[in-house]
Amino acid sequence: MDGAKPPPPAGGKQELEEALLHIVQHHHHQSFRQRQQTERAKKDALRSAVRVSDLLVDTVDGGVQELFVNEKRIEHEARALLTTIARYRKQTDQWLAATNEINSVLKEIGDFENWMKIMDFDCKSINAAIRNIHQS
């Protein structure tokens, strides 16, 4: 027991108890403050996470809404384009029918002109034959 410490004097025991009590109280106080800080940090983190989530949802919703509006505009323009194409197709068909009719009429005119030339030639031939018969 050479290395053992002698027991503290009686007045020192009370001081030791007060010091230990002070240390325990200080520890409880620090633990309480630490818990409060942790709770505040958790609440702040939760608020921040909710804010980030809301911002992300707003951003995605904004993009989706813009895509939806663009899709509707494109569909409307596509329908208008199909209507225009149908109108042009009908007009083109009318022009084609008119062109075919004009071609047919021109062919008939050409046929008539050719018939007239043949008739003229035949009439001249008959006239020449009659003159030849009359002169002989």
Side-chain angles (χ1 to χ4, degrees), residues 18-33:
E18 286 177 11
L20 286 174
L21 184 60
H22 177 68
I23 290 171
V24 168
Q25 286 175 346
H26 182 68
H27 173 72
H28 285 300
H29 180 67
Q30 282 182 333
S31 294
F32 180 73
R33 278 194 359 215

Side-chain angles (χ1 to χ4, degrees), residues 12-70:
K13 185 176 180 184
Q14 186 172 354
E15 287 175 14
L16 183 61
E17 286 179 8
E18 286 177 11
L20 286 174
L21 184 60
H22 177 68
I23 290 171
V24 168
Q25 286 175 346
H26 182 68
H27 173 72
H28 285 300
H29 180 67
Q30 282 182 333
S31 294
F32 180 73
R33 278 194 359 215
Q34 186 68 31
R35 271 187 256 125
Q36 285 180 330
Q37 286 177 346
T38 302
E39 286 297 318
R40 265 188 263 128
K42 280 171 51 176
K43 287 178 183 177
D44 289 345
L46 185 60
R47 276 195 296 271
S48 295
V50 167
R51 178 74 177 139
V52 167
S53 174
D54 288 345
L55 289 173
L56 287 173
V57 167
D58 289 346
T59 301
V60 170
D61 284 350
V64 168
Q65 183 179 6
E66 185 178 342
L67 288 174
F68 182 73
V69 168
N70 286 341

Side-chain angles (χ1 to χ4, degrees), residues 73-89:
R73 184 177 50 83
I74 289 170
E75 287 176 359
H76 177 71
E77 289 178 11
R79 280 192 294 273
L81 185 59
L82 287 174
T83 302
T84 303
I85 289 170
R87 188 177 66 235
Y88 285 153
R89 180 180 293 145

